[in-house]
């Protein structure tokens, strides 16, 4: 059960916390600040959010065991428990790499529609289950190739692209009862005025008038077109930018549109990352008038060896162990999210919003009826709040005393509930999101001592809760031996623990008696990519990046109709993400006999691009036939087999010496994979016939010898 302190009596608070708000000796005169609504209010508060996607950042969350999976979701979405997020932003999958993996499109082809693919539907429903008021926001990073009609651009045929996006929104409602509140254009890529106008028109024609367009998830450049084109201005509801460094522009403010930091943070989630998040949550409004800030990413639920490790509000990257970590950015978020709601209003700058005289910032928000007031104060120092981007100019923060005077509607407040976080950078434990002694407001004023690197929430709200669960299971390496026959999954789903980097690998029936369900690469043509690098070799990784001496065996099938030209299995694969085309490792390729009757060929290369061949030769392999590929790598030696027959033995390249196991194909086009077996190299290891069930082999290994885990 979660522990609640929602109604914790102030008299029972630990005495050591009673000393937090005693004035401190600073050598500086206390600075005075007014909190007042007499002159009106500031901008409407639009909420704090997290982003799943861009891409595949929630990939490993799906197959977490219970109860840990529900616990993680509670820390993210449950009101008055953890982060209590107001917005969930997700990727509209486009069949292409979008940072840490590929997310499936709802339309691989123009004639194809399926609204069960991927895991964002599931995640949105879980968020809504916990908080029916959470807002949902969809944004494409990439588009299937057919959308561009050979141009590689989604704007070549804007009506087609707009229809594709509208179908996703309609499918969300029809198949999952999800109402999407906001939709974006093309993540961090050029916007197109004509396309945005057409998208608005189609949204309205299909009864999606409530869905607001956020544009353009890049920089502030779109404001020029908004100011000069009234029809375009009418189509764009919200200006969303990425990583603004807490600054907007005069032109953006002059549009009178809501300004959002629609993607921000993207920083390693240690205490410096928590400090970054605390600073920008306040200062995006203080400096830039931005009323919503959305974290990339929601949760670091992807392999840590992929790009931007642990850049989420919390970490959950070991579903096989059930281990997760509630990182401090969760509690930084709670300082604002648990004591505000979308629709509240900021107070005006100088009357409840501003910079502190000796470093730091403060914001004040009030409920629509003005019955509640929440203030969030942060004093994050420069070196302890550096975000990954943009560069942070130097500034100074010192301990200080701040006197706040409440006026107007708030003049009658006599007490404010207080929540406190002190982030530590010296090895001592941090204090995070602690309810402390309420602040007494005497004659409308109070003086608050502010140390460096603290976050304080003062509020009339009596709720608030630092939720907790029993400590999760301990971490452990990816389990070996590992077997997968794909029989337990729904059609169109993705197999647990695989992290597709190029292409889309879904579960489908094979129509072969010996291979009932298989994992199939389904992308047929180059997508309209988000990555600037050309990614053409489908690649799916799994396991522990530290694996070195390893063996992998997989059954492979390439159809003669719409099939790829060749397939591979691999070990020691060193990278993914947008640089997947540069991946090195040990790759064993099979190219079947061609239609001219020429023998098939095999290659062993040290790279995915097949520019560095270690060894090659002829083999007997045909299309429309299952073949078993096996690769063994130990120290500096590799051995490859096909269908139980030895092919060759050779020396590996000097590097890399460790990496993921992987499988994939030479080109886009269908390929099927089944009966994956991964084992550490061991003299006693025996491979069984491919016709024996995988679970029998797994049981045999566990009975005959102890499990070996390579860290």
């Amino acid at each position: 059960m979660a522990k609640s302190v929602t109604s914790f009596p102030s008299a029972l608070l630990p005495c050591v916390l009673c000393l937090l708000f005693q004035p401190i000796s600073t050598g500086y005169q206390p600075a005075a600040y007014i909190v007042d609504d007499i002159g009106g209010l500031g901008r409407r508060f639009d909420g704090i959010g997290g982003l799943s996607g861009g891409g595949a950042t929630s990939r490993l969350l799906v197959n977490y065991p219970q109860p840990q999976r529900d616990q993680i979701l509670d820390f993210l979405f449950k009101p008055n428990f953890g982060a209590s997020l107001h917005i969930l932003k997700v990727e509209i999958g486009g069949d292409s790499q979008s940072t840490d993996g590929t997310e499936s499109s709802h339309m691989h082809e123009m004639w194809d529609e399926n609204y069960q693919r991927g895991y964002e539907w599931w995640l949105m429903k879980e968020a809504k289950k916990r908080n029916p008021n959470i807002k949902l926001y969809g944004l494409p990073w990439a588009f299937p190739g057919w959308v561009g009609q050979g141009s590689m651009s989604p704007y070549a045929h804007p009506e087609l692209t707009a229809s594709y996006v509208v179908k996703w929104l309609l499918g969300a409602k029809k198949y999952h009862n999800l109402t999407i509140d906001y939709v974006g254009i093309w993540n961090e890529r050029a916007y197109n005025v004509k396309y945005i106008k057409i998208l608005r028109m189609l949204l309205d024609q299909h009864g999606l008038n409530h869905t607001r367009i956020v544009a353009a998830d890049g920089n502030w450049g779109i404001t020029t077109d908004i100011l000069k084109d009234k029809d375009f201005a009418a189509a764009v509801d919200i200006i969303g930018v990425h990583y603004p460094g807490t600054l907007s522009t005069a032109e953006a403010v002059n549009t009178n549109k809501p300004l959002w930091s629609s993607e921000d943070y993207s920083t390693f989630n240690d205490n410096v990352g928590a400090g970054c998040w605390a600073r920008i949550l306040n200062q995006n409004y203080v400096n830039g008038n931005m009323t919503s800030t959305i974290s990339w990413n929601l949760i670091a639920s992807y392999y840590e060896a992929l790009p931007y490790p642990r850049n989420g509000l919390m970490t959950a990257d070991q579903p096989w162990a059930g281990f997760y970590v509630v990182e401090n950015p969760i509690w930084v978020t709670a300082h604002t999210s648990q004591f505000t709601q979308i629709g509240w209003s900021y107070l005006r700058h100088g009357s409840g919003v501003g910079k502190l005289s000796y470093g730091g910032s403060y914001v004040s928000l009030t409920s629509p009826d003005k019955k509640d007031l929440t203030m969030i104060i942060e004093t994050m120092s420069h070196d302890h709040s550096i975000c990954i981007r943009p560069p942070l100019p130097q500034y100074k923060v010192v301990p200080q005393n701040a006197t706040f005077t409440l006026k107007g509607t708030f003049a009658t407040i006599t007490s404010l509930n207080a929540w406190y976080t002190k982030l530590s950078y010296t090895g001592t434990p941090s204090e995070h999101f602690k309810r402390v002694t309420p602040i007494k407001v005497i004659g409308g004023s109070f003086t608050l001592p502010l140390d460096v690197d603290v976050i304080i929430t003062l509020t009339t709200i009596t709720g608030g809760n630092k939720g907790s669960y029993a400590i999760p299971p301990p971490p452990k390496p990816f389990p070996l031996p590992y077997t997968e026959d794909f029989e337990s999954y729904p059609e169109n789903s993705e197999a647990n623990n695989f992290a597709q980097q190029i292409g889309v690998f879904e579960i489908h029936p094979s129509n072969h008696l010996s291979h009932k369900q298989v994992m199939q690469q389904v992308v047929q043509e180059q997508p309209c990519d988000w990555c600037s690098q050309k990614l053409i070799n489908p690649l799916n990784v799994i396991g522990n990046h530290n694996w070195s001496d390893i063996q992998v065996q997989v059954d492979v099938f390439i159809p003669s109709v719409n099939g790829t030209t060749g397939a591979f299995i691999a070990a020691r694969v060193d990278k993914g993400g947008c640089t997947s085309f540069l991946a090195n490792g040990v790759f064993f390729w099979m190219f079947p006999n061609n239609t001219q009757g020429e023998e098939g060929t095999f290659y062993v290369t040290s790279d995915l691009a097949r520019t560095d061949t270690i060894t090659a030769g002829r083999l007997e392999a045909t299309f429309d036939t299952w073949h078993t590929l096996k690769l063994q790598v130990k120290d500096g030696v590799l051995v490859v087999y096909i269908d139980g027959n030895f092919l060759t033995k050779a020396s590996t390249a000097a590097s890399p010496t460790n990496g993921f196991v992987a499988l994939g194909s030479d080109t886009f086009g269908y390929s099927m994979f089944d009966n994956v077996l991964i084992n550490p190299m061991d003299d006693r290891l025996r491979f069984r016939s491919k016709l024996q069930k995988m679970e029998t082999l797994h049981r045999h290994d566990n009975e005959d010898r102890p499990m070996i885990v390579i860290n």
Side-chain angles (χ1 to χ4, degrees), residues 120-131:
E120 304 297 2
W121 308 114
W122 165 80
L123 185 61
M124 287 189 284
K125 287 189 287 188
E126 291 293 327
K128 279 286 189 181
K129 183 191 302 182
R130 287 160 174 81
N131 179 8

Side-chain angles (χ1 to χ4, degrees), residues 147 183 196 428 474 535 538 553 579:
V147 172
V183 67
I196 294 174
T428 59
L535 304 175
Q553 177 175 298
T579 58

Side-chain angles (χ1 to χ4, degrees), residues 144-161:
W146 65 265
V147 172
Q149 296 287 285
S151 70
M152 305 301 293
S153 169
Y155 302 138
H157 302 274
E159 294 86 357
L160 189 63
T161 305

